Structures are given as C-alpha cells and as structure tokens.
Amino acid sequence: MPKAMFLEEVENSPSLEMVNLVLAKIAKGEKVVSLAIGEPSFNTPPEIVEVACQAMRSGDIHYTSSYGTMEVREAIKRKVARKNGIHADIPNTIFCTTKFSVYAALAAASNKAYDALLPNPGYFYWEPVVLSGGRPIFYTLKEDFSLDIDEIKKKITPRTKVILVNSPSNPTGKVLKRGELEELYEFCKDRNIFIISDEAYEDLVYTGQHTCVGSLEPKPEIVISLFSLSKSYSMTGWRAGYVVANERIIYLINKFLENTVTCYPPFIEKASAYALDNGDKYISEFRTELENRKRLLETKIAEIHALEPYSTEGAFYAFPKYTKKMQSRELVKLLLDKYGIAVLAGASFGDAGENHLRFSFSMAPETIEAGMNKVKTFFEG
C-alpha cells in the first residue's frame, strides 16, 4: 500500500514537539522556563485586532477568492514595492500563511521528482520537501553562517529545481549580504533554478542591511518570496502571510489552495491589509524592544564560559556553540528534565548545527534572565 503523502518519512516539528513537552510538564505542576519558541511575547496591536472584529461584525465571514481579497493583494503590492524593492502586479501575489506556503511553493516550482537545496544549519524545510515529493540536499553554510556559493555549486544535480534561502535566519540570526545573494541569483538565473526566499524575519534586522532577493530582478521570474505577518506585527496565531512570484507559480499555488484550504478568512485578510499599510510604527516599537532583549541575552551568554560569545544580526535567536562533551539533543533533554529550562538542540537544524544551542529572546526580559541563570547553573554549577 502506498504511503499517504510520505507522512511516514516526516518527523514532527522539533519546536512544536518542545512546546508539547513543556505544556505536558506544566500540566503536571512542574515549573518550566522556555527560551525555545520563536514567538514574540507582544500582543497583536489592538488597532489591527479591531479591524478584524469590525469586519466580522459587518458580516465579512464568508468564502473569498483562494488568491486572497483584492484589498489585501493591493496592500501586498504596495508594501513589497515600498519596502522590498519588488515590482509586482496583482497577478504576482497570493495570500497564504507562510509555513504552508513553503510546501505550496515547493510543489509549484518542481515536478514529481526533484531535488531541493536547503541550508545547513537551517529551518525545518526538509519535511515540506519530502511531503511535496522532492529529495532534500543540504548545503553547509560557512563558519560565520554566510552562503558558501562553491558548496552550493557542488551540490547541484540535474534534478535541482529549487534553492532555499532564509535571511535573517532561523536559527542562526544571520543576515545575508547583498553580494552573496547577487552571486546566488546570477548562478540560478543562468540555470533556470528557482530561489525560494523565506522572508519571515525581514523587519527584525539589527546589524547590516536586509536585502530581499526578489529585488534583484525587474519583475518576479525565478525568485519566489515568502512573507509573514507573524513576527513583524506579532500575529503568530493569525496565520497570515503572502507569496510574491511569477504569474505561473502564483496560479499553481492557487490551484493548491483551492484543493486544500479553499481560502483564508476574509476578516484576517482585512486586518492584514490594514497592518501592511499602517503597521510600520508597531514594527519599529517591537524591533527596539527586541534589540534590548538581544543585548540582555548576549550579555548572559558571555557570562557562561562553556558558551562561545554570540552576536545576532537579525531575527530573535542566538545560536552559540558550547564546549560540553555532549550531543545537543541529549543536552537539551537534560536541561528540560533536570533544570526546567527549554531550549532547542542545534542538531535539530541539521548536522552542521551540532554543538550549538538555539536560544530565543522573543520572550519577556525576566524570562530571559531566569532561563539563562538556569543555563549557567547547568554548565557551571
């Protein structure tokens, strides 16, 4: 009997698995401090919430286009022109929650048998590649987590359809430089290979300048840009995002949506359009507070001799190396079971992440302080 959607080959999400472990411990009455989850502790700005509430009260609760409402697609077009330097028309846009859009974009960009190149260490893109019938091939990042173009070139196969990049990066916090993205773009353009660019943390940059790969082409062709409202506007539970790509890719993603989720709630799209047009002030406030938390976490890391000092360029993660002779998955299990502190194992993000830990600084400062004190006790107590 054939496997259903390759699900037997797919592992559970390490981050969500950690959430379940933490919740189970809390349900037993155990105290857990979590630095594991990449979710801003801020609430969605009330102004954005009120737009959704008004839309629901006015009856904006019915089916809409799988592409998204015209209102939100117009807002997407304006935003990517204003902030990302992408010259998109309405047919280049579709409203789609970002995590699902990774899967949908892979399916749209590939055929039944394809290879996808994924960063190592990198976010959990392996699973959607397998789910969409592809073979994941990992390209190892340089020591400073920048792109190794020579490494990427070596990993190309005749079946390579997609190279995936993520900047700022989860888990490393690295912001890729324009020059390395230009080199990657020219390489892919010459070979008609799609670049899927995960832009989820685009607004959270503390060092350097964010470059959207899609801005390197006059109009969307080989770059498929995936955007999210989750981090920028603290809208994680809303599952709001969008894709900008060439018309054929957008058409295929729409076909995917029509036959799976049908469409997204129109009141969420209404609030998302409002956020894209009016929410920059909230992004600025969130980024300032997150930068304060970043400094706190980096100070606490520097106090622990077993952790190498680490400076994050973007997103809200630190990914320091540790010196303890222990595998990272074993280490995080011990931290959780014995010390009540939740972090993520570097090996969860690829074998190049071994001997690293991922700490999130998206939570309140007092949580960061309490969590890192426990980490220090573990390493030095």
Side-chain angles (χ1 to χ4, degrees), residues 39-249:
E39 178 175 35
S41 63
F42 319 115
N43 288 326
T44 304
E47 197 175 332
I48 297 173
V49 174
E50 184 56 30
V51 172
C53 291
Q54 289 180 2
M56 284 187 280
R57 285 193 289 265
S58 68
D60 202 2
I61 55 171
H62 301 284
Y63 287 137
T64 188
S65 167
S66 298
Y67 285 103
T69 64
M70 191 56 65
E71 180 181 14
V72 78
R73 297 176 79 193
E74 290 279 7
I76 291 166
K77 176 185 172 182
R78 287 191 294 270
K79 180 267 180 182
V80 298
R82 182 180 77 248
K83 293 182 66 174
N84 304 109
I86 298 177
H87 306 290
D89 293 319
I90 295 299
N92 300 122
T93 66
I94 191 167
F95 189 89
C96 179
T97 183
T98 311
K99 196 162 189 178
F100 187 83
S101 71
V102 175
Y103 177 28
L106 285 164
S110 64
N111 53 31
K112 292 182 180 179
Y114 77 100
D115 292 342
L117 269 59
L118 312 177
N120 177 22
Y123 184 65
F124 317 123
Y125 302 117
W126 182 93
E127 293 83 353
V129 171
V130 173
L131 284 170
S132 59
R135 179 176 66 171
I137 296 176
F138 295 94
Y139 62 89
T140 304
L141 299 172
K142 291 182 179 179
E143 189 70 21
D144 66 351
F145 302 124
S146 59
L147 292 181
D148 186 335
I149 302 298
D150 290 335
E151 161 80 354
I152 289 173
K153 291 176 180 178
K154 291 175 185 175
K155 295 295 178 73
I156 295 293
T157 74
R159 301 197 325 170
T160 302
K161 299 293 183 184
V162 169
I163 298 176
L164 211 146
V165 296
N166 173 215
S167 175
S169 164
N170 177 8
T172 70
K174 182 70 175 179
V175 177
L176 298 178
K177 293 182 173 59
R178 184 179 183 90
E180 55 192 313
L181 292 172
E182 286 175 337
E183 189 175 355
L184 176 67
Y185 175 76
E186 292 301 326
F187 175 79
C188 291
K189 183 180 179 182
D190 290 344
R191 290 157 184 81
N192 200 31
I193 296 173
F194 285 104
I195 298 172
I196 294 181
S197 183
D198 183 348
E199 303 280 346
Y201 299 92
E202 59 166 332
D203 290 308
L204 304 180
V205 175
Y206 318 106
T207 303
Q209 185 75 33
H210 174 259
T211 297
C212 184
V213 193
S215 68
L216 302 180
E217 50 188 8
K219 62 179 182 179
E221 293 180 10
I222 67 164
V223 179
I224 304 171
S225 300
L226 314 182
F227 295 94
S228 174
L229 282 80
S230 290
K231 320 300 183 181
S232 299
Y233 306 97
S234 197
M235 293 174 68
T236 53
W238 297 66
R239 312 318 296 139
Y242 51 99
V243 181
V244 177
N246 72 52
E247 291 186 33
R248 177 66 180 172
I249 291 294

